Amino acid sequence: MMKNKGRMIVVSAPSGCGKGTILAEILKDDSFFYSVSATTRAPRVGEEDGVNYHFISNDEFEKLIAEDGMLEYAKYCDNYYGTPKKILEEKMNEGINVILEIEVQGAMKVREICPDALFIFIVPPTISELERRLRKRGTESDDVIAKRVSEAAGEIQKAVNYDYILVNAALEDAVEDFKTIVKAESMKTACSKNLIDEVLKNA
Amino acid sequence: MMKNKGRMIVVSAPSGCGKGTILAEILKDDSFFYSVSATTRAPRVGEEDGVNYHFISNDEFEKLIAEDGMLEYAKYCDNYYGTPKKILEEKMNEGINVILEIEVQGAMKVREICPDALFIFIVPPTISELERRLRKRGTESDDVIAKRVSEAAGEIQKAVNYDYILVNAALEDAVEDFKTIVKAESMKTACSKNLIDEVLKNA
């Protein structure tokens, strides 16, 4: 059977929803590739080139823009941030799904450029549970937690603009649900254009 | 978490694709219900009321039509055949998925009436494999097999009108794929209308 092209998967979630942990589990599977953003800002202490970001010069970034090499980009505080396109296309052509971890606004921008991408929004089981998790960390003040919870509530309302809503109640289930979505999507008629021809070969 | 409503699932497949075997496995799970058609024709030897069909009188059938009690119906050879609506709605309200096993033309009729239903088309891995399976049964003449294979090839081209194409290469995988599709669909944003409210409760 001919291999399907890999899928572009855009993942968003409010902070504290366990998105990073879920993606770390997903990425243990070779059929997924994590898209590392490029930026012109200087690396911070502990940041690694190619892991946290691809740290490139202003000239390199602008050359990529000019060559249509960025899927999307934005400039904040005089620094460019963007998603290099070439590697994503290469991986997808190999049948590998590429994961873009971006915030709601960026995700909606990608939706316009890549309507075929898959949009998954991760939510906590309840907002009270999110608050409980943030408190349990014990790293932030009550004020900061209240602010985060209120921001999360606002973001979660944007989930309606995504294709799927994944509830992270338990890590293992959430990881399985994520894979279930991707597997089911691969059986969609729209993703199986060559499949009917394959089945009917020699008919 | 509030229970989602059950889904209407329309399943079609050319004869010999193993649809019956897959559905028998799926129906072992209580969260699925098989929609038994109603007919006014007389039961054939071995047919059981409520299993193969609901055998009802002409008056009863026409009363159901008049009461808008049929999801869809047709008349062949002076006999009515149709899908009673009430039981399906009851089951779906209980969160149970209802399976309608119908041929392509009927399926497209249901699509018009129930655009929210889920449409799955089952195909063999290849048309040659379908032929091999039909021969293996050893119950039909070469002529009949050739006719069936040619009909199947024609039907498979209609698969493009379905939401998902499920390849039945191995029974166990096909059953799992079927459940994967239904599970993923339950996480679709459109099926999770109350979910966001639930998450944001007490926010």
Side-chain angles (χ1 to χ4, degrees):
Chain A
M1 197 83 56
M2 211 193 284
K3 210 171 183 182
N4 277 332
K5 237 190 114 175
R7 199 72 186 274
M8 184 182 292
I9 307 171
V10 175
V11 183
S12 304
S15 128
C17 288
K19 179 182 54 175
T21 323
I22 295 170
L23 292 184
E25 282 301 313
I26 293 294
L27 289 160
K28 287 181 183 168
D29 181 336
D30 282 349
S31 64
F32 293 94
F33 172 83
Y34 185 81
S35 159
V36 176
S37 301
T39 184
T40 56
R41 81 153 163 75
R44 292 184 190 137
V45 176
E47 282 186 342
E48 227 177 299
D49 185 37
V51 176
N52 305 88
Y53 284 98
H54 294 292
F55 295 100
I56 63 177
S57 70
N58 209 70
D59 282 358
E60 284 173 300
F61 206 110
E62 289 183 342
K63 191 164 171 269
L64 276 169
I65 297 173
E67 288 167 349
D68 190 28
M70 285 293 176
L71 180 68
E72 52 85 38
Y73 69 94
K75 205 169 187 176
Y76 299 110
C77 311
D78 271 340
N79 285 309
Y80 283 117
Y81 294 83
T83 306
K85 209 193 266 184
K86 190 161 165 273
I87 180 81
L88 303 187
E89 283 168 357
E90 283 170 9
K91 292 290 174 183
M92 288 194 286
N93 284 332
E94 288 170 29
I96 293 173
N97 302 304
V98 299
I99 295 181
L100 275 65
E101 186 186 350
I102 33 184
E103 39 60 64
V104 179
Q105 218 176 328
M108 292 306 103
K109 219 162 141 184
V110 174
R111 169 141 259 170
E112 278 169 39
I113 312 160
C114 309
D116 289 346
L118 183 56
F119 292 79
I120 301 178
F121 196 94
I122 302 172
V123 297
T126 61
I127 203 84
S128 336
E129 170 62 16
L130 176 70
E131 189 175 346
R132 202 189 61 76
R133 286 182 195 172
L134 291 172
R135 279 193 195 288
K136 212 178 149 196
R137 288 188 190 171
T139 51
E140 278 133 359
S141 69
D142 281 4
D143 277 5
V144 172
I145 289 175
K147 190 168 168 272
R148 279 191 167 218
V149 167
S150 139
E151 278 172 5
E155 280 177 51
I156 287 168
Q157 307 207 346
K158 306 279 172 57
V160 289
N161 299 315
Y162 287 66
D163 299 316
Y164 293 91
I165 301 177
L166 198 158
V167 181
N168 183 16
L171 175 65
E172 217 171 293
D173 295 342
V175 170
E176 201 185 305
D177 288 349
F178 192 104
K179 291 187 175 179
T180 293
I181 291 169
V182 177
K183 169 78 179 164
E185 282 282 326
S186 75
M187 292 187 273
K188 277 226 170 137
T189 308
C191 294
S192 313
K193 276 169 195 154
N194 305 315
L195 179 64
I196 297 178
D197 294 341
E198 293 271 325
V199 171
L200 293 177
K201 209 166 51 188
N202 309 323
Chain B
M1 199 85 53
M2 211 194 279
K3 211 172 181 182
N4 277 333
K5 241 191 112 174
R7 200 72 185 273
M8 182 181 292
I9 307 171
V10 175
V11 183
S12 304
S15 126
C17 288
K19 178 180 56 175
T21 323
I22 294 171
L23 292 184
E25 282 300 313
I26 292 293
L27 289 160
K28 286 181 183 169
D29 181 336
D30 283 349
S31 63
F32 293 94
F33 173 83
Y34 184 82
S35 161
V36 177
S37 300
T39 184
T40 57
R41 79 153 164 75
R44 291 183 192 137
V45 176
E47 281 185 341
E48 226 177 294
D49 185 36
V51 176
N52 305 89
Y53 284 100
H54 295 292
F55 296 101
I56 63 177
S57 71
N58 210 69
D59 283 358
E60 284 173 300
F61 205 110
E62 291 183 341
K63 192 165 169 270
L64 276 169
I65 296 173
E67 289 166 347
D68 190 27
M70 285 293 177
L71 180 68
E72 53 84 38
Y73 69 95
K75 206 169 188 176
Y76 298 110
C77 311
D78 270 342
N79 286 309
Y80 283 116
Y81 294 82
T83 306
K85 208 194 269 185
K86 191 162 164 274
I87 181 81
L88 304 188
E89 283 168 357
E90 283 170 9
K91 292 290 175 186
M92 287 194 285
N93 284 332
E94 289 170 28
I96 293 172
N97 303 303
V98 299
I99 294 181
L100 274 65
E101 186 187 349
I102 33 185
E103 39 59 66
V104 179
Q105 218 175 328
M108 292 306 103
K109 219 162 140 184
V110 175
R111 168 141 261 173
E112 277 169 40
I113 312 161
C114 307
D116 289 344
L118 183 57
F119 293 79
I120 300 177
F121 196 95
I122 302 172
V123 297
T126 61
I127 204 82
S128 337
E129 170 61 16
L130 177 70
E131 189 174 349
R132 203 189 60 77
R133 287 182 194 172
L134 291 172
R135 279 194 196 288
K136 212 178 149 197
R137 288 187 190 169
T139 51
E140 278 132 358
S141 69
D142 281 3
D143 278 4
V144 172
I145 288 174
K147 190 166 168 276
R148 279 192 168 219
V149 167
S150 138
E151 277 172 2
E155 278 177 53
I156 288 168
Q157 308 208 345
K158 306 278 172 63
V160 289
N161 300 315
Y162 287 66
D163 299 315
Y164 293 90
I165 301 177
L166 198 158
V167 181
N168 184 15
L171 175 64
E172 216 171 294
D173 294 341
V175 170
E176 201 185 302
D177 286 350
F178 192 104
K179 291 187 175 179
T180 293
I181 291 169
V182 177
K183 169 76 180 168
E185 281 283 327
S186 75
M187 291 187 274
K188 276 224 172 141
T189 308
C191 294
S192 312
K193 276 170 195 154
N194 304 316
L195 179 64
I196 296 177
D197 294 340
E198 293 271 325
V199 172
L200 294 178
K201 209 166 50 187
N202 308 323

